[in-house]
Amino acid sequence: MKKGMNVWSLPANLTLREQFAVTKQAGFDTIELNLSEGATTAENLVNTELALAEKVDLTLTTTAEELAQIKALATEFSLPISSISTSLHWTYPLNSSKEQTREKGKMIVKKMIDAAKALGSDAILVVPALVTKDQPYDEAYRLAQTALKELATYAEEKQIVIGLENVWNKFLLSPLEFRQFIDEIASPYVGAYFDIGNILQYGFPEQWIRILGNRITKIHVKDFKTSIGSIQGFTNLLQGDVDWQASVDALKEIGYEGPLTCELAPYKIHGSQLAADTAAALAYITTL
């Protein structure tokens, strides 16, 4: 398995070139970029409660020429862009009760697919739905599946896999349900983007990995302290309660050979040090 960096884990003041340079110098094998809405970042779970450093290097209006420049950086630093993520589906969920919002959510997925294709990636990360007091679970299930079945056709056309991430969205709370949700879409271009740290609040990563099996297209890693049990429980690798040996064993069993991509808040002081520390932790984890 490879060591991956999501650039949300790097300080917000770095240029894109500096993000590639710091990632390469720390010893990572791949890099993951994130699609934002525009030149400024909107407040959401990612940059407020999780304290991830939102970037605006890749946006909904990034041109083909700019995408070519980004791909040139990946070539220059020998850092393949493994996938494209976004926080925008917290704002524009695919299960919104408003059709206009749902349509924008689908447009964002298509923009991500287009960017991934241009940048040489093979997958994108999508939050499938948000369950809230006003957005019921059953409707979230139906609307998200409807949207994703439509988007699967576009993903197949572009040969890019849509990876659905397990996040704290009160949705797909069982590995059996997650597996069923994917299987009902019935497309090899819709799978799971599995976040190991996100599961600790209500499950065991190794069990989810085995149940989801080859539906897993990518992996996010962070650690989590179950004694805290809230969003403040997320922590750096090897500092929480993830059983990394069990998780790696399960990943080997299903034949996963892709990147373990970190998604962590950069340090408040000397933020880039997180890259070196995380690469060292992943060097240990990937050799278990």
Side-chain angles (χ1 to χ4, degrees):
M1 284 170 269
K2 302 175 179 66
K3 303 185 293 295
M5 164 63 74
N6 181 296
V7 297
W8 277 336
S9 305
L10 297 172
N13 62 348
L14 296 184
T15 66
L16 188 58
R17 170 172 285 276
E18 289 170 336
Q19 293 167 44
F20 273 89
V22 169
T23 300
K24 184 66 176 181
Q25 184 176 8
F28 286 88
D29 304 305
T30 65
I31 192 167
E32 179 175 69
L33 304 184
N34 308 290
L35 185 80
S36 60
E37 187 161 12
T40 58
T41 59
E43 286 193 356
N44 55 50
L45 180 78
V46 164
N47 54 30
T48 55
E49 296 187 60
L50 291 176
L52 301 176
E54 190 87 70
K55 308 292 192 300
V56 293
D57 303 295
L58 180 63
T59 75
L60 292 174
T61 58
T62 296
T63 65
E65 181 181 358
E66 289 168 333
L67 286 169
Q69 292 170 354
I70 296 172
K71 188 175 182 181
L73 279 176
T75 301
E76 177 184 344
F77 285 94
S78 298
L79 268 177
I81 300 169
S82 60
S83 46
I84 305 297
S85 177
T86 190
S87 64
L88 291 178
H89 287 114
W90 290 98
T91 307
Y92 305 105
L94 296 174
N95 67 300
S96 172
S97 58
K98 299 178 180 179
E99 183 179 2
Q100 185 177 4
T101 302
R102 295 198 304 272
E103 289 302 315
K104 183 155 186 178
K106 289 190 287 185
M107 179 272 286
I108 290 165
V109 174
K110 290 180 179 180
K111 287 284 187 180
M112 295 173 73
I113 289 171
D114 291 342
K117 185 70 174 179
L119 295 172
S121 308
D122 60 3
I124 64 169
L125 183 156
V126 172
V127 173
L130 304 181
V131 174
T132 68
K133 182 177 177 60
D134 300 317
Q135 295 173 307
Y137 202 116
D138 55 347
E139 278 295 283
Y141 196 101
R142 181 183 67 80
L143 289 170
Q145 267 199 350
T146 298
L148 288 163
K149 286 176 180 178
E150 176 186 331
L151 290 163
T153 302
Y154 192 79
E156 182 171 6
E157 177 187 327
K158 301 291 184 177
Q159 301 285 287
I160 302 293
V161 177
I162 299 171
L164 308 178
E165 189 183 24
N166 53 295
V167 294
W168 287 14
N169 55 347
K170 304 183 187 302
F171 187 61
L172 303 180
L173 298 175
S174 150
L176 301 177
E177 183 189 20
F178 199 172
R179 183 177 66 185
Q180 173 183 304
F181 183 84
I182 292 170
D183 288 351
E184 287 173 348
I185 295 171
S187 169
Y189 289 90
V190 178
Y193 197 128
F194 184 68
D195 188 308
I196 287 176
N198 281 349
I199 286 301
L200 263 288
Q201 188 188 35
Y202 51 85
F204 302 93
E206 61 273 19
Q207 296 177 9
W208 284 64
I209 291 166
R210 290 190 176 96
I211 290 169
L212 292 173
N214 62 8
R215 297 165 189 81
I216 293 176
T217 183
K218 300 288 181 185
I219 295 285
H220 262 174
V221 289
K222 59 174 76 75
D223 220 320
F224 183 73
K225 295 180 179 179
T226 55
S227 60
I228 297 176
S230 68
I231 203 164
Q232 283 72 41
F234 289 116
T235 188
N236 297 332
L237 303 182
L238 309 180
Q239 294 184 5
D241 296 307
V242 171
D243 185 338
W244 291 105
Q245 183 67 70
S247 295
V248 169
D249 287 348
L251 288 170
K252 289 178 179 177
E253 285 180 29
I254 69 168
Y256 182 79
E257 296 180 345
L260 304 182
T261 301
C262 70
E263 191 186 42
L264 300 158
Y267 298 153
K268 292 182 179 179
I269 299 173
H270 188 37
S272 295
Q273 183 62 37
L274 176 75
D277 293 346
T278 302
L282 282 171
Y284 166 75
I285 290 168
T286 54
T287 55
L288 288 172

